[in-house]
Amino acid sequence: MYKDIATPKRTQEILKKYGFSIKKSLGQNFLIDPNILQNIVSHANLTKESAVIEIGPGIGALTEHLARKAGQVVAVEIDQRLLPVLEDTLSPYDNIEIIHSDILKTNVEDVIQEKLAGYKDIMVVANLPYYVTTPILIKLLMEKLPIRGMVVMMQKEVADRITASPSTKAYGSLSIAIQYYMKAEIAMTVPRTVFIPQPNVDSAVIKLTRHETSPVDVVDEDFLFKVSRSSFAQRRKTILNNLQSQLPLGKEKKELILAALAEANVDPTRRGETLSIQEFGNLANILLPNFKDSSL
């Protein structure tokens, strides 16, 4: 029987053994509750026919639970100091490979082709560093990787924004960017007390599942996201005012924007937070011919 890494005593022993000093700059918070880790893994619905990409394995607490369920785990770790720690803590497992790299600079498609060839069911499962959660998610989604989905832990506030519905305080351009690619739901909340060191905020695990069919058919994805970002530039402003101030030559093209809003059946006095992703997609398609040659 394996001895779990994620207990307060074992985690402290490992950190002490290697004289490891935790770097806040890398968002290092180590989980010390095996039950929570098992719960995270259960939401990924893994079998031995599955492969997993993990980001930021730390000392291997989540990694070992993934290895027990999946056929292969590839973990990407930015901190070189953790490589000998992981080699030690994960030595009982023969289905884990650690890559020393910054995930934001890693060609994940190449990693899948080189390390996970033959696996048709691939999931991303990770306790993401809070300070780069959004860039990591956007990178993985924009690259359109051949993955079934993701189960990732992050700051609860960010999870709320990602899973938010229209006309709620948390809803914004991040909600639209993520939900365009995947169905997003909060799988569980995680208290700050189950980490060493304790973060200043509570966490949540979100489950992202790839859409079987896109929720909206858009001509230009980048333009959709530019329109949504523009519409939330100042939340208290109307969508007309935001689009006028944010789109190139928007003030000169007020009549074109008004006409597009009318065609999309969007009242120009509405705020961006009230529009659904379908409404944003429709509006972006209508606006595109008048702004596609402009840089935002």
Side-chain angles (χ1 to χ4, degrees), residues 59-70:
I59 60 173
L62 175 58
T63 321
E64 68 173 357
H65 284 271
L66 293 169
R68 293 170 190 172
K69 292 290 185 181

Side-chain angles (χ1 to χ4, degrees), residues 40 151-154 185-190 203-207:
I40 291 170
V151 175
V152 286
M153 181 154 56
M154 62 192 65
E185 55 189 326
I186 291 183
M188 58 188 287
T189 55
V190 182
S203 303
V205 175
I206 67 168
K207 182 173 182 176

Side-chain angles (χ1 to χ4, degrees), residues 149-163:
M150 308 185 208
V151 175
V152 286
M153 181 154 56
M154 62 192 65
Q155 186 174 333
K156 186 174 184 301
E157 180 187 347
V158 178
D160 288 339
R161 288 167 55 203
I162 286 172
T163 58

Side-chain angles (χ1 to χ4, degrees), residues 6-71:
T7 65
K9 182 180 178 184
R10 180 113 194 268
T11 298
Q12 295 284 17
E13 286 174 353
I14 292 167
L15 296 176
K16 185 177 179 182
K17 176 180 178 180
Y18 286 91
F20 187 83
S21 58
I22 292 168
K23 281 189 178 180
K24 285 188 176 181
S25 63
L26 293 178
Q28 290 173 335
N29 302 94
F30 302 135
L31 264 167
I32 51 171
D33 187 326
N35 292 326
I36 286 177
L37 290 167
Q38 289 171 16
N39 205 347
I40 291 170
V41 174
S42 72
H43 284 289
N45 298 319
L46 302 173
T47 71
K48 286 300 178 180
E49 303 300 312
S50 309
V52 177
I53 298 169
E54 185 189 8
I55 299 154
I59 60 173
L62 175 58
T63 321
E64 68 173 357
H65 284 271
L66 293 169
R68 293 170 190 172
K69 292 290 185 181

